[in-house]
Amino acid sequence: MARRKLVETVVDPDEPPPPEQMVTGVAKALSPLARRILAPNPGVFTGPGTNTYLVGIDEIVVIDPGPADDAHLDAIVGCGGDRIRWIAVTHTHLDHSPGVAGLKERTGAEVLAFSAKDGLKPDRKIGDGYSIEATEFRLTAIHTPGHASNHLCYLLEEERMLFSGDHIMQGSTVVIRPPDGDMATYLDSLAKVRKLRLRSIAPGHGTLITEPYDVIDWYIEHRLEREQKVLDALRNAGTAKIDELVPIVYADVDEERQKIARSSMHAHLLKLAAEGQVTGKTLTGKWSMA
Ligand SMILES: [Zn+2]
């Protein structure tokens, strides 16, 4: 059954890291058109670190320069040189976009993003359906709000490879932190990319995903399961605060990740409130069944 494969592809936070050793500073070829360089910023939210992608050979788009780390930016330029024509960001969170300024300085490339935010000022604001037309390929932006309201994925049409930023990660689920993070739009955005004809997903964190639909389905299933657990826990409690529900709903998750899970729980409850199933508002306030 497909289920077994899913468990192998998307590992639990407590399980050992995936077998592929990711190394910083060295470009790894993923396909004829795509290369990846790992930034040196591993952590709870970033896994092995942020992935920077170089798409193209003669004309290059850099996707997500990552943090403002000189060694990392030098590695990108060492790999792409003056063929870097565009710098595209998936979203403006601080593990993805602060390297833009330094890379722009080194290359003069045009900076593309959905919006100016978190210190990033794009040369061009782009939205759903915008395509970068290079000599060898076409890269199309897909607006995928949920993790961040200004999140874009990029589809490399020739290879059907989706650069998913933090919309989909390898090895873990994505944190949805209200108010900019929104669970209902996140699920809509998962359904949106599920409709694309994909061969692989190159995530913002972790290794290349070669079974894209298994992972997208697991993401959706996992969120809906979690939502059901939230509803069950709240029904049992009658009225409860998020801090009281998290240990019940996220009993499978270690304590450090339970702290992070408060945001995702809040996002679930806000979605359920918008649907009229529960009442409540804030991260610290009381919630009850509608
Ligand atoms: Zn990230």
Side-chain angles (χ1 to χ4, degrees), residues 45-46 50 91 93 95-96 147 166 169 205:
F45 292 104
T46 58
T50 302
H91 63 303
H93 285 172
D95 53 327
H96 293 259
H147 172 69
D166 284 0
M169 298 181 189
H205 304 280

Side-chain angles (χ1 to χ4, degrees), residues 32-33 36 38 46 58 61-62 78 81 87-88 140 157 159 176 180 206 234-235 244 256 262-263 267-268 272 281:
L33 285 171
R36 180 187 69 211
L38 174 66
T46 58
D58 297 332
V61 183
V62 172
I87 302 165
T140 301
E157 312 236 358
E159 297 184 345
I176 308 296
D180 191 56
L234 190 57
R235 197 173 290 118
E244 295 158 352
E256 190 173 12
R262 295 169 75 236
S263 301
H268 276 298
L272 291 166
K281 244 184 196 149

